[in-house]
Amino acid sequence: MHPETVSYDVMSPVKFLARSVRVFPDKTAVVHGDKRFTYREFQERIFCLARALQKTGVAPGDKVAFLCPNTPHLLEAHYAVPMIGAALVSVNVRLNAEEVAYILDHSDTKVLFVDNELSHLVAPSRSRLSKLALAVNICDASPERPLAGPDYEEFLERGADAPPSIHLDDELQTLAINYTSGTTGLPKGVMYHHRGAFLNALGETIEFGLTSRSVYLWTLPMFHCNGWCFTWAVTAVGGTHVCLRKVEPAAVFSLAATEGVSHLCAAPTVLVGLSEYASRHGITLSRPLSIMTAGAPPAPEVIRNMEQIGAQITQTYGLTEVFGPHSVCEWQEKWDGLSLAERAELKARQGVPYVNALHMEVLDPVTMEPVPEDGASMGEICMRGNNVMSGYYKDPQATAAAFAGGWFHSGDLAVRHPDGYVQIMDRKKDIIISGGENISTVQIENTLYQHPAVSEAAVIAVPDPKWGEVPKAFVVLKEGRQANEEEIIAFCKQSMARFKAPKYVQFGPLPKTGTGKIMKYKLRETEWAGRTKKVA
């Protein structure tokens, strides 16, 4: 803890609210359907929530969980909970009941807020969550109260008698705990501190060009890395939050037009859905729309399709452990004259560190020395700095492993190009070693996306008696399009070395996480049942 002085002030993203209330008190801060809240009203609701939590017994260090889609309730929690020194646990709404129960128990949640359409994820475990003192119903979609306890608006009234006591005395105290998707075991609780959230939110405003005129549509889940810190970034500049319960292409394009949306964030799989919807319905954007994409390396074809309808794509890269985005494919003026396809290829790279991040290297995993900037030598992306997590909650062993050698280890394999820009080649666990040759699944997937019939694709290694393992592609076809296995394989062989092309193709839906990432581990579980895949 560092005492505040004339030359030092504790960094916390919660403080952005007071500045915007002072500068833009009567401006619309939040839009949700037919509801509109000004910045002054937004702050009043946040104060009521914070005070009500304190009167319920929530103290600094306690955990408050929200199981809620992208509605104003969760946005308000991003200020009210850390404002009183507590930590916000935003739970992935697409998990099953057992996964939700694990997170609530492991995080020591004291008060839980649940949207009434998601109560079935809590009801089975409510009686065995001994640390949970109170459940509050969020009656947004209907007036039903499935759980015993007050509804959200009634709960706010408990805090309307006086302002809350603010506890922002240590910028390294835990502001939020975000749980990983648990693709390699039980979910881990990533602890965010106020300092990192403050700096990363400012980084978003710079790298994404947010201003007081920005209108941000909530297509990215707020439960994912606290909405990549945009929950605070939009408020920092006095922009407008447009909430959206469910991401559907028709709703996105409608709100883009009616609310004048200028910015949104989305995983590549969401962009696939948007571009296909726009193609089917002949939609082109009538005003500029900036889109930030991350979560998985986007195929150049996905970027090109969105820019064809008038969007401007910014590709960023990061992980839950670094507050969301850490690097950006910073655009260079000298690239302006390139063709759309050439620009899309460049934009698919992970780029350079954010202005607030600075420290990102591609290191040899053995020597921990930077790899040559030749676009071919592979190493692991490692980061350090102000926007790295404090550690994993109640898991010192995993924290120590992640921080080995004084860097956070991402697990992503990448190259650094001669211009210094980083490009991911694969995850450590996804790289295919076939007959001694390394094959990048990302390269194959990027090729598959260029096929006119392919909507989505994922590639994994499958066992092979001769080569040890070979690539297999899992493909989702576009609506109304046809293709067979032989055609897909032949198409890939035209664009890459023949040994890199998939040996098998399977058609059908792909398993995905709550944030839209394709769960390759589920595909591998089936293909490698009873066998062990080597990790590079």
Side-chain angles (χ1 to χ4, degrees):
M1 184 182 298
H2 191 303
E4 291 190 348
T5 67
V6 68
S7 56
Y8 174 79
D9 181 52
V10 170
M11 291 183 184
S12 172
V14 173
K15 294 184 176 182
F16 296 140
L17 178 64
R19 193 261 183 185
S20 289
V21 170
R22 173 174 290 188
V23 180
F24 307 108
D26 300 315
K27 180 182 178 182
T28 299
V30 182
V31 175
H32 181 47
D34 58 0
K35 296 178 182 177
R36 300 285 192 277
F37 299 123
T38 66
Y39 265 101
R40 183 184 288 112
E41 292 168 335
F42 185 39
Q43 184 185 58
E44 288 172 356
R45 290 176 61 82
I46 288 167
F47 280 178
C48 286
L49 176 56
R51 175 62 175 162
L53 287 169
Q54 288 180 323
K55 293 178 73 173
T56 302
V58 175
D62 285 339
K63 316 303 185 300
V64 177
F66 270 69
L67 183 61
C68 179
N70 283 357
T71 62
H73 316 87
L74 183 50
L75 189 59
E76 290 161 4
H78 276 79
Y79 295 86
V81 175
M83 178 182 292
I84 61 176
L88 175 64
V89 181
S90 299
V91 184
N92 186 333
V93 301
R94 300 185 184 111
L95 298 178
N96 63 38
E98 280 302 311
E99 291 168 325
V100 169
Y102 172 82
I103 289 173
L104 296 178
D105 181 63
H106 184 269
S107 64
D108 305 310
T109 289
K110 189 171 186 176
V111 177
L112 169 65
F113 293 77
V114 185
D115 184 89
N116 53 12
E117 289 192 342
L118 300 170
S119 62
H120 64 282
L121 297 175
V122 175
S125 60
R126 176 67 181 89
S127 60
R128 54 189 169 93
L129 294 172
S130 59
K131 301 164 191 171
L132 185 60
L134 176 68
V136 178
N137 295 277
I138 296 175
C139 302
D140 180 63
S142 73
E144 295 180 17
R145 299 187 197 180
L147 301 176
D151 81 350
Y152 187 86
E153 297 301 325
E154 287 179 351
F155 189 75
L156 290 192
E157 292 176 6
R158 298 183 183 184
D161 60 334
S165 300
I166 308 298
H167 294 279
L168 297 173
D169 53 357
D170 183 359
E171 62 187 28
L172 293 180
Q173 71 189 33
T174 301
L175 155 140
I177 301 177
N178 293 300
Y179 279 79
T180 61
S181 56
T183 57
T184 57
L186 291 173
K188 294 190 287 289
V190 177
M191 294 186 290
Y192 283 9
H193 43 83
H194 287 250
R195 179 182 179 85
F198 178 94
L199 291 170
N200 220 50
L202 289 182
E204 301 291 15
T205 68
I206 296 169
E207 301 295 0
F208 204 26
L210 295 178
T211 72
S212 60
R213 297 186 179 185
S214 297
V215 179
Y216 182 89
L217 178 61
W218 275 105
T219 47
L220 174 77
M222 291 186 204
F223 65 70
H224 186 38
C225 306
N226 300 113
W228 296 350
C229 294
F230 279 96
T231 45
W232 303 299
V234 175
T235 298
V237 296
T240 299
H241 300 265
V242 180
C243 294
L244 183 61
R245 279 187 69 90
K246 186 177 181 181
V247 178
E248 296 173 329
V252 171
F253 285 114
S254 175
L255 287 169
T258 59
E259 299 295 342
V261 172
S262 61
H263 294 76
L264 64 83
C265 296
T269 185
V270 174
L271 301 188
V272 169
L274 291 176
S275 64
E276 290 185 1
Y277 182 89
S279 176
R280 289 197 304 272
H281 294 83
I283 294 174
T284 55
L285 296 167
S286 59
R287 66 183 74 196
L289 176 61
S290 296
I291 297 177
M292 180 181 287
T293 188
E301 189 73 8
V302 175
I303 295 174
R304 185 177 69 83
N305 289 343
M306 284 305 298
E307 295 205 334
Q308 280 184 328
I309 67 171
Q312 181 67 29
I313 304 295
T314 298
Q315 207 263 133
T316 59
Y317 161 74
L319 303 94
T320 303
E321 289 86 344
V322 293
F323 293 75
H326 185 97
S327 71
V328 59
C329 190
E330 197 76 50
W331 193 249
Q332 303 272 352
E333 187 177 351
K334 62 186 178 182
W335 298 336
D336 287 346
L338 297 176
S339 68
L340 186 62
E342 289 171 321
R343 293 200 304 270
E345 287 284 347
L346 287 168
K347 286 192 173 189
R349 299 190 300 182
Q350 284 61 51
V352 295
Y354 264 35
V355 66
N356 63 290
L358 301 179
H359 304 292
M360 182 174 82
E361 297 289 347
V362 180
L363 302 178
D364 183 298
V366 177
T367 66
M368 291 298 288
E369 293 294 323
V371 301
E373 296 185 352
D374 56 11
S377 300
M378 243 186 316
E380 183 181 14
I381 297 178
C382 297
M383 303 97 140
R384 61 182 176 84
N386 293 309
N387 63 321
V388 174
M389 65 172 179
S390 302
Y392 296 114
Y393 187 56
K394 298 194 296 190
D395 197 342
Q397 185 175 357
T399 301
F403 290 168
W407 290 85
F408 167 68
H409 293 258
S410 71
D412 288 318
L413 298 176
V415 298
R416 192 183 288 278
H417 290 279
D419 61 4
Y421 280 52
V422 168
Q423 183 172 6
I424 288 179
M425 304 310 291
D426 226 322
R427 293 285 294 172
K428 271 186 176 181
K429 61 179 178 291
D430 291 342
I431 199 78
I432 299 171
I433 305 175
S434 185
E437 297 280 358
N438 284 0
I439 301 175
S440 166
T441 62
V442 173
Q443 181 187 9
I444 303 173
E445 289 161 2
N446 287 348
T447 300
L448 289 167
Y449 274 106
Q450 295 175 34
H451 191 285
V454 173
S455 173
E456 294 182 278
V459 176
I460 64 166
V462 297
D464 182 84
K466 181 178 181 179
W467 304 110
E469 56 187 32
V470 294
K472 178 176 180 178
F474 294 79
V475 170
V476 178
L477 296 176
K478 292 179 180 176
E479 186 176 336
R481 303 300 295 266
Q482 299 292 325
N484 58 37
E485 182 179 46
E486 292 76 16
E487 177 186 342
I488 295 294
I489 293 173
F491 178 83
C492 290
K493 287 180 177 178
Q494 294 173 4
S495 303
M496 60 178 60
R498 295 175 68 86
F499 77 90
K500 294 182 178 181
K503 300 299 185 291
Y504 313 100
V505 179
Q506 182 173 320
F507 299 93
L510 296 170
K512 296 177 183 176
T513 68
T515 57
K517 293 182 183 178
I518 297 170
M519 295 189 288
K520 289 188 177 182
Y521 78 96
K522 285 191 173 293
L523 302 175
R524 281 194 294 267
E525 283 176 357
T526 300
E527 300 293 334
W528 289 84
R531 302 181 62 169
T532 302
K533 182 189 182 314
K534 299 187 294 294
V535 177

